[in-house]
């Protein structure tokens, strides 16, 4: 049953931030993480050999962690679920695990993306272990903090840590060019001002598009 927002069209017709509208739909369109997604990148090799397991994405904001997690689910035909450790508790995790178990019984596995995973306490982090071990979920956790200090050793031992880099100036400039194509108009900046904008973004793609 649709809700009032869906019935009125407001759920899809509202304005969306530029960064959301420009979210890549293919891994090949992600910029700035060639060590992971390039021809010989770590994630590229995992996908080719079908050895994708649970992952921890460690890096600064605006570098593509959420986007890549979504696209990995698409590439591997996994159901994508997302929660934030800031807003979720034990009850939310249990519901998510139960839904993943039910989905698995119907023949489809789940990629569970956990943003700010370092915000979960040790007991909450431990709750992931059984569902990771029995294949109920493929966990992808994102953190801006060093996982060696913020995550349980048991969780780390069952995951591959992927380090994300701040976007280079070339990558930011490429995003701005894509934004101009999306908006169908050039930025009202001369070359010097454009470079100032790139520097202000400080390696954060989302920040660049917001600016």
């Amino acid at each position: 049953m649709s809700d009032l927002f869906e019935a009125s069209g407001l759920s899809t017709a509202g304005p969306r931030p530029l960064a959301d509208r420009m979210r890549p739909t293919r891994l090949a369109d992600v910029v700035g993480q060639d060590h992971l997604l390039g021809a010989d990148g770590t994630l590229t090799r995992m996908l080719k050999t079908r050895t994708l397991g649970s992952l921890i994405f460690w890096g600064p904001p605006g570098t593509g962690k959420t986007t890549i997690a979504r696209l990995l689910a698409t590439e591997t035909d996994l159901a994508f679920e997302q929660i934030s450790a800031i807003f979720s508790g034990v009850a939310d995790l249990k519901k998510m695990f139960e839904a993943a178990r039910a989905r698995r019984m119907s023949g489809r596995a789940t990629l569970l993306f956990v943003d700010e995973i370092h915000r979960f306490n040790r007991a909450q982090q431990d709750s992931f272990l059984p569902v990771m071990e029995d294949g109920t979920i493929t966990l992808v956790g994102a953190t801006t903090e060093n996982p060696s200090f913020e995550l349980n050793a048991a969780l780390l031992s069952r995951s591959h840590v992927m380090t994300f880099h701040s976007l280079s100036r070339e990558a930011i400039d490429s995003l701005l060019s894509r934004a101009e194509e999306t908006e169908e108009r050039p930025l009202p900046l001369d070359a010097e001002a454009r470079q100032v904008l790139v520097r202000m973004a400080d390696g954060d793609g989302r920040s660049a598009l917001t600016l």
Side-chain angles (χ1 to χ4, degrees), residues 187-203:
L187 283 167
L189 303 172
D190 60 23
E192 183 179 357
R194 189 185 185 97
Q195 289 308 306
V196 170
L197 179 62
V198 170
R199 291 197 296 272
M200 288 173 62
D202 194 27

Side-chain angles (χ1 to χ4, degrees), residues 24 33 37 73 85 89 99 113 126 189 198 204-205:
Q33 307 301 334
L37 297 173
F113 177 70
D126 283 342
L189 303 172
V198 170
D204 182 329

Side-chain angles (χ1 to χ4, degrees), residues 53-59 64-66 68-70 72 80-85 111-120 125 128 132 137-147 151 155-156 158-164:
S54 291
L55 307 166
I56 300 298
F57 289 172
W58 172 32
K65 296 188 291 295
T66 303
I68 290 175
R70 286 180 179 273
L72 286 176
F80 181 80
E81 295 286 353
Q82 177 176 351
I83 59 173
S84 170
L111 186 151
L112 176 59
F113 177 70
V114 183
D115 200 16
E116 305 285 352
I117 192 171
H118 62 278
R119 299 289 190 100
F120 278 139
Q125 290 181 30
F128 290 101
M132 292 168 66
I137 66 165
T138 296
L139 174 69
V140 178
T143 178
T144 55
E145 304 295 326
N146 189 329
L151 299 183
L155 188 63
L156 285 176
R158 292 163 173 80
S159 310
H160 297 282
V161 176
M162 303 285 161
T163 303
F164 281 60

Side-chain angles (χ1 to χ4, degrees), residues 11-161:
S11 61
T12 56
R16 294 164 57 205
L18 180 61
D20 186 49
R21 286 187 281 126
M22 286 186 55
R23 193 181 292 276
T25 57
R26 303 181 308 153
L27 286 170
D29 294 333
V30 177
V31 300
Q33 307 301 334
D34 289 347
H35 63 297
L36 300 177
L37 297 173
D40 196 39
T42 307
L43 288 175
T44 301
R45 295 198 304 271
M46 285 184 172
L47 289 171
K48 284 181 178 178
T49 57
R50 298 183 180 181
T51 56
L52 185 70
S54 291
L55 307 166
I56 300 298
F57 289 172
W58 172 32
T63 52
K65 296 188 291 295
T66 303
T67 294
I68 290 175
R70 286 180 179 273
L71 295 177
L72 286 176
T74 301
E75 290 279 341
T76 53
D77 195 31
L78 298 175
F80 181 80
E81 295 286 353
Q82 177 176 351
I83 59 173
S84 170
I86 298 175
F87 303 111
S88 304
V90 173
D92 300 297
L93 290 176
K94 286 182 177 179
K95 287 181 182 179
M96 196 69 69
F97 297 158
E98 288 170 3
R101 288 190 182 99
R103 192 178 293 117
R104 188 184 181 204
M105 290 179 67
S106 67
R108 194 178 188 201
T110 300
L111 186 151
L112 176 59
F113 177 70
V114 183
D115 200 16
E116 305 285 352
I117 192 171
H118 62 278
R119 299 289 190 100
F120 278 139
N121 61 37
R122 290 190 175 277
Q124 289 169 319
Q125 290 181 30
D126 283 342
S127 70
F128 290 101
L129 303 180
V131 288
M132 292 168 66
E133 289 175 347
D134 68 11
T136 299
I137 66 165
T138 296
L139 174 69
V140 178
T143 178
T144 55
E145 304 295 326
N146 189 329
S148 297
F149 300 113
E150 300 294 336
L151 299 183
N152 288 1
L155 188 63
L156 285 176
S157 71
R158 292 163 173 80
S159 310
H160 297 282
V161 176

